[in-house]
Amino acid sequence: MITTVTMEAAEFLPPPHRFEAGTQRVSQAIALGAAVDYLSELGMQRVVAHEAALGARLLAGLAAIDGVRVLGATAEDRVGLAAIDVPGIHAHDLGQYLDLQGIALRVGHHCAQPLHRRLGVTASTRASSYLYTTPDEIDAFLTALPAALAYFRSMQ
């Protein structure tokens, strides 16, 4: 990032090289290669099929729970996640309750604050899946969610 350093001055390389100090990210490059090899061995079609099946299970289960609004498209070819809004229950409260039940979720704006404003919600709760997610984990969320709703509604 520098060409010359003296006690009186320093001369820097032109951008972007002046901002690339230190050792190159060798370990990250090796890890990326290992991840690509792993996914290639699994087969991306299998990964996509697994995620689609979990996403369909998730959406079907959410559709059966009264008072839960699934945000976004509900097409069959969506990825294995769902962001939800439950009117009257803040996403952070719902997420905290479910966290105490052992359910890991994301809550907040999800880098989509303008979309949340457009949908008329302060924040949302998002359940996400990936190749390591099991159907039992989706079912655990779908079982815990109605209990959470009952808990918060009993306080209203």
Side-chain angles (χ1 to χ4, degrees), residues 39-56:
L39 290 172
S40 295
E41 186 176 319
L42 279 177
M44 287 308 295
Q45 292 303 325
R46 287 178 55 204
V47 173
V48 169
H50 177 71
E51 190 172 337
L54 293 177

Side-chain angles (χ1 to χ4, degrees), residues 96-142:
Q96 180 66 45
Y97 180 95
L98 292 168
D99 178 63
L100 293 172
Q101 309 307 309
I103 308 296
L105 302 163
R106 295 283 188 190
V107 297
H109 300 127
H110 315 294
C111 298
Q113 198 169 18
L115 177 62
H116 281 86
R117 269 195 295 281
R118 171 74 171 94
L119 296 173
V121 298
T122 305
S124 62
T125 304
R126 187 183 72 213
S128 306
S129 66
Y130 191 55
L131 63 95
Y132 44 73
T133 306
T134 67
D136 289 344
E137 290 170 319
I138 298 295
D139 294 345
F141 166 61
L142 295 171

Side-chain angles (χ1 to χ4, degrees), residues 21-34:
T23 304
Q24 297 300 312
R25 297 183 170 175
V26 175
S27 62
Q28 290 89 336
I30 292 168
L32 176 62

Side-chain angles (χ1 to χ4, degrees), residues 32-103:
L32 176 62
V36 168
D37 291 345
Y38 175 71
L39 290 172
S40 295
E41 186 176 319
L42 279 177
M44 287 308 295
Q45 292 303 325
R46 287 178 55 204
V47 173
V48 169
H50 177 71
E51 190 172 337
L54 293 177
R57 185 184 201 104
L58 179 60
L59 285 177
L62 289 170
I65 302 172
D66 287 334
V68 173
R69 175 182 169 205
V70 176
L71 305 176
T74 56
E76 290 181 19
D77 59 348
R78 72 183 287 150
V79 295
L81 64 82
I84 63 170
D85 173 53
V86 180
I89 304 173
H90 194 281
H92 292 120
D93 295 333
L94 182 59
Q96 180 66 45
Y97 180 95
L98 292 168
D99 178 63
L100 293 172
Q101 309 307 309
I103 308 296

